[in-house]
Amino acid sequence: MANPEPLLRTGTTVDDLHAALRERVISGDYPPGARMSQAQLAAEFNVSRTPLREALQRLEADGLLIASANRGMHVAPVVNSETEESYALRLLIEPPTVSGLIDEFTTTDFDEMRTALDEMRETRGHGRRFQDAHDRFHDVALNRYPASFRDLIKSLHIRIYRHQRVYLAHNRTPDDFIGVDNLYLDALISGESGLAHHVLQFHLTDAALGLVLDADSDHRFASLLVALRGRGIDVEHTADGTVVRPAAITWSTPTSPMPSLRTSNLVFISEAELVDDVG
């Protein structure tokens, strides 16, 4: 097990300890299956067992640790189906929520999102820093969600965070995220709720495909496809749920005037481009 760096001081709060341990799980310093020995961790972090035990229990609630009678606590595996399900739930909840909040965003919100987007551009190739900037970008909207929605989405995001960290390390991924997030911000600023709704649907679907298929190119999707159908969206796939990238995405009802979007995982061709091609 890797030595944590830096070690925490005596008197560290449970919040600090939880954050430090969480980062080490997410970064892979504590890989899936690693045993979380309380004696070893207490010595490494120079803390007593009481705050350590509470921090570990929080990580278990986050879905990052698993407790068993025989093995104690160990790092949970990264499970593709759970990542898919987390994105399916986000797809059902977040786009309509953002549409409903479109008139509540402020100039300060947009300034914060611009700053985060600039940081995303500056931190390409720096996995954690890019991920943190991406989180700050979307947290602006998340912090306006009703409390119960916000808590649920945060819990889902914690469960995909390790998976996302690996995915964002790929050279192509930051540019895909930046391009779609830039269009999303433009839609929010202009008050185009329909466009913001569809761009966020595209973004969540794109991320879900990328994270899961990078880990297992033969993965058979189920819950994500159900959520998409429920929202009148189709992503090109085979009868058994296999998706080959880049997959075409279409909406059963006319979308707002969304431009064509292309990422490594997903392609949307706008009506305007289709007309031009025919012409």
Side-chain angles (χ1 to χ4, degrees):
M1 186 176 291
N3 288 326
E5 183 184 2
L7 297 180
L8 301 178
R9 298 185 301 272
T10 301
T12 295
T13 67
V14 173
D15 288 343
D16 292 336
L17 190 54
H18 170 259
L21 289 168
R22 178 175 175 270
E23 173 56 29
R24 284 165 177 77
V25 171
I26 290 168
S27 67
D29 286 345
Y30 300 157
R35 183 170 177 270
M36 303 295 281
S37 164
Q38 290 192 32
Q40 183 176 347
L41 291 171
E44 287 178 345
F45 284 93
N46 191 27
V47 295
S48 68
R49 294 285 188 96
T50 300
L52 176 62
R53 189 177 300 112
E54 184 174 342
L56 292 174
Q57 288 171 346
R58 288 190 190 181
L59 290 172
E60 182 184 9
D62 291 341
L64 296 176
L65 299 183
I66 295 175
S68 60
N70 297 327
R71 295 185 59 199
M73 281 195 170
H74 59 280
V75 178
V78 177
V79 181
N80 274 342
S81 60
E82 292 180 0
T83 298
E84 179 191 351
E85 289 165 3
S86 294
Y87 272 106
L89 287 168
R90 292 183 64 188
L91 189 66
L92 292 172
I93 296 168
E94 293 198 69
T97 300
V98 168
S99 293
L101 294 169
I102 196 76
D103 294 329
E104 298 187 23
F105 291 99
T106 66
T107 301
T108 300
D109 291 334
F110 299 144
D111 288 343
E112 290 178 5
M113 295 179 80
R114 285 193 192 95
T115 298
L117 194 57
D118 286 342
E119 291 177 11
M120 288 168 63
R121 294 187 180 100
E122 294 167 2
T123 56
R124 290 182 180 93
H126 301 278
R128 179 181 177 182
R129 292 172 60 198
F130 183 91
Q131 188 178 33
D132 288 347
H134 181 255
D135 286 350
R136 286 194 296 276
F137 177 87
H138 286 283
D139 278 351
V140 174
L142 181 63
N143 289 332
R144 291 199 171 275
Y145 290 9
S148 58
F149 288 21
R150 182 172 61 249
D151 291 345
L152 174 58
I153 296 304
K154 284 185 175 180
S155 70
L156 294 172
H157 192 254
I158 287 171
R159 293 174 185 273
I160 66 172
Y161 209 76
R162 280 186 296 168
H163 215 153
Q164 188 187 65
R165 176 73 62 85
V166 174
Y167 179 59
L168 289 173
H170 298 301
N171 290 335
R172 67 183 186 276
T173 307
D175 286 334
D176 286 348
F177 274 39
I178 290 167
V180 177
D181 281 343
N182 189 67
L183 179 60
Y184 177 56
L185 177 56
D186 287 346
L188 293 177
I189 292 172
S190 61
E192 297 179 74
S193 62
L195 180 58
H197 184 113
H198 288 119
V199 173
L200 187 53
Q201 287 177 325
F202 181 98
H203 186 38
L204 292 170
T205 305
D206 173 64
L209 294 179
L211 266 69
V212 172
L213 292 176
D214 270 18
D216 178 10
S217 60
D218 296 323
H219 180 82
R220 289 172 170 78
F221 289 89
S223 57
L224 183 69
L225 297 177
V226 170
L228 288 166
R229 284 197 300 271
R231 294 304 187 196
I233 304 169
D234 180 64
V235 167
E236 186 179 14
H237 63 279
T238 63
D240 66 357
T242 301
V243 175
V244 177
R245 298 181 286 182
I249 182 171
T250 56
W251 279 259
S252 60
T253 56
T255 61
S256 54
M258 188 164 79
S260 296
L261 285 173
R262 294 174 175 84
T263 67
S264 304
N265 308 302
L266 208 54
V267 176
F268 170 72
I269 306 299
S270 68
E271 292 184 14
E273 185 173 338
L274 288 172
V275 170
D276 288 343
D277 288 344
V278 171

